[in-house]
Amino acid sequence: MGKEIKLNDQPFFNEIRTILSEAKQRAVTAVNTAMVQAYWMIGQRIVEEEQEGKEKATYGSYLVKELSKALTADFGKGFSERNIKYFRQFYLMFPDFEIGHTVYAQLSWSHYKLLFRVSDSKARAYYTQEASESHWSVRTLDRNISTQYYQRLLQSTAPQKIQEEMQEKTKGFQPQHLIKNPSVLEFLNLPTHFSYTEKELEKALIDDIQTFLLELGKGFAFVERQQLVRTETADFYIDLVFYNYLLKCFVIIEIKTEKMSHQAIGQLDMYVRMYDDLKRNEGDNPTVGILLCADTDQTIAKYSVLNNSQQLFASKYLTYLPSEEELQAEIDRQKQIFQERLDEGDQEKE
């Protein structure tokens, strides 16, 4: 019999853990560096091809459109016309990227998309340098740009106080979180919801509601779950998306394992408006949103307001959509099943 070793108490184990942690960080940093560098080089080639280095292109929009189609066909998501334009903007705003590679490589693509909003070149250079050296998170950078942090520092007679206030209200950037960034996942051609798994109960509820609506036989066609919807400033994930071909509209569903709140309602309404702007096709009726809150004590189902017309919603839409009571009953049924499974698991352990 060999000597029993408690690894948690050994320097040996800590060294192995350090090796793996550092290797993971290097791998994530390498992916980010390669992605950002590739986007800058694509932007450089676009500018060279479409305008021969001139300030204004003569056929840029056509080139962007065709390039987007070709790259999407070969490499999947992440190459929309908007993103192709970002690549071009990246090169034009950071022409010295290769020279300042040490600084620039520390930032993610999400950092750069925020920096594109800064028109003042001196402010942009400051934010870039500080975000890199101080390891600002994307949220920290966003907050500092939005609150005119650079301008306030220049004008203040006590800049130290402004810096201290900023540090108190923000948190440091952790490089390992880069791998959860949707842009990184798209670059690696991985599912964009790969690192965003819901809690077990939420997943069970999503599974059940998806099946429940499809079995209603009232025109529901499944579109996607955990669908990524991207705006210029943020990425959002919608739990379930359907299209109802009888109503000719999208139906989006958000599930929360918490009490109904104004924030959750506001988020759903924002998703509905955003979906109408980005996804709704010509001839489609307004998008319908459903919020399902399934906390421990109470189940609540709430529909988004349809063009501020409850009468229209009640007379037409509820003919095909389940009522709030039916949704509540289904959620309660699934909660009970989920709890029974948990109880069975506890009994097996005993």
Side-chain angles (χ1 to χ4, degrees):
M1 294 292 290
K3 182 180 178 181
E4 183 178 351
I5 299 177
K6 295 182 179 179
L7 287 180
N8 286 334
D9 298 332
Q10 298 294 317
F12 166 75
F13 175 71
N14 291 330
E15 289 174 15
I16 297 297
R17 183 161 51 186
T18 299
I19 291 171
L20 291 174
S21 296
E22 290 178 352
K24 182 178 180 181
Q25 182 170 323
R26 287 197 302 271
V28 171
T29 302
V31 170
N32 176 70
T33 301
M35 180 181 72
V36 171
Q37 187 173 19
Y39 289 169
W40 185 87
M41 293 172 67
I42 292 171
Q44 181 185 39
R45 284 295 296 118
I46 290 172
V47 171
E48 291 172 349
E49 178 70 19
E50 72 178 2
Q51 57 190 43
E52 298 180 352
K54 296 177 183 177
E55 183 65 23
K56 198 168 184 178
T58 55
Y59 63 102
S61 60
Y62 174 77
L63 179 62
V64 167
K65 185 176 182 179
E66 292 304 307
L67 185 59
S68 174
K69 289 181 181 178
L71 291 179
T72 299
D74 283 355
F75 297 100
K77 294 181 179 179
F79 298 99
S80 64
E81 289 184 40
R82 177 185 293 175
N83 278 346
I84 300 294
K85 290 176 182 177
Y86 277 147
F87 302 160
R88 181 181 179 278
Q89 188 177 8
F90 187 21
Y91 171 73
L92 292 174
M93 281 191 163
F94 295 90
D96 60 341
F97 176 83
E98 291 183 318
I99 299 173
H101 185 69
T102 303
V103 172
Y104 294 137
Q106 304 301 314
L107 303 180
S108 72
W109 181 238
S110 295
H111 284 91
Y112 282 110
K113 287 199 291 185
L114 290 174
L115 290 167
F116 296 160
R117 292 159 37 190
V118 183
S119 57
D120 184 332
S121 60
K122 291 183 179 179
R124 186 168 61 248
Y126 171 81
Y127 287 130
T128 302
Q129 189 79 25
E130 283 297 308
S132 175
E133 293 180 355
S134 301
H135 303 295
W136 285 355
S137 68
V138 174
R139 182 176 295 181
T140 298
L141 177 60
D142 189 17
R143 180 187 180 279
N144 290 342
I145 291 174
S146 301
T147 59
Q148 301 288 302
Y149 178 62
Y150 171 73
Q151 288 79 0
R152 288 188 292 117
L153 281 177
L154 289 181
Q155 297 171 6
S156 175
T157 57
Q160 185 65 29
K161 289 185 177 180
I162 295 176
Q163 291 173 336
E164 290 174 355
E165 177 195 41
M166 184 274 291
Q167 290 168 358
E168 287 177 4
K169 294 184 177 181
T170 57
K171 296 181 179 179
F173 170 57
Q174 295 179 322
Q176 61 266 32
H177 290 169
L178 274 174
I179 202 65
K180 293 184 178 182
N181 188 296
S183 297
V184 176
L185 295 171
E186 286 181 347
F187 182 74
L188 295 173
N189 204 21
L190 296 173
T192 51
H193 59 276
F194 182 75
S195 296
Y196 292 83
T197 307
E198 298 284 347
K199 294 188 290 290
E200 287 186 354
L201 175 57
E202 289 181 347
K203 182 181 182 301
L205 294 174
I206 291 172
D207 289 341
D208 181 69
I209 290 299
Q210 178 180 333
T211 303
F212 172 68
L213 290 178
L214 291 176
E215 289 178 349
L216 281 179
K218 294 184 177 181
F220 281 95
F222 176 66
V223 176
E224 194 173 357
R225 59 193 294 165
Q226 292 297 311
Q227 186 181 68
L228 169 64
V229 178
R230 172 166 288 160
T231 67
E232 292 184 359
T233 58
D235 297 317
F236 301 93
Y237 289 86
I238 299 175
D239 287 338
L240 282 170
V241 180
F242 295 87
Y243 188 84
N244 191 294
Y245 58 85
L246 297 176
L247 290 170
K248 290 185 169 51
C249 73
F250 285 101
V251 179
I252 63 177
I253 298 175
E254 275 294 294
I255 295 178
K256 307 288 185 185
T257 54
E258 58 193 30
K259 291 184 178 180
M260 179 75 72
S261 66
H262 292 297
Q263 289 85 352
I265 295 172
Q267 182 185 56
L268 177 68
D269 288 339
M270 178 191 71
Y271 283 174
V272 168
R273 292 193 300 272
M274 187 170 60
Y275 217 86
D276 273 341
D277 290 340
L278 300 176
K279 300 288 187 178
R280 182 179 168 191
N281 300 311
E282 185 177 353
D284 283 345
N285 287 314
T287 300
V288 173
I290 306 176
L291 177 63
L292 301 174
C293 290
D295 66 71
T296 305
D297 301 321
Q298 191 178 19
T299 298
I300 299 175
K302 180 177 175 61
Y303 281 97
S304 63
V305 176
L306 179 65
N307 284 354
N308 296 319
S309 176
Q310 293 284 7
Q311 183 177 357
L312 174 62
F313 180 81
S315 62
K316 181 177 180 181
Y317 281 70
L318 281 184
T319 305
Y320 303 101
L321 299 176
S323 67
E324 293 180 5
E325 290 75 17
E326 288 176 306
L327 288 168
Q328 289 170 9
E330 187 60 29
I331 288 289
D332 284 336
R333 187 184 73 84
Q334 181 58 36
K335 282 166 59 180
Q336 183 176 354
I337 293 173
F338 185 78
Q339 186 58 53
E340 289 173 355
R341 288 174 182 169
L342 289 180
D343 293 341
E344 289 174 1
D346 291 339
Q347 290 173 4
E348 288 176 3
K349 291 177 182 179
E350 293 174 359

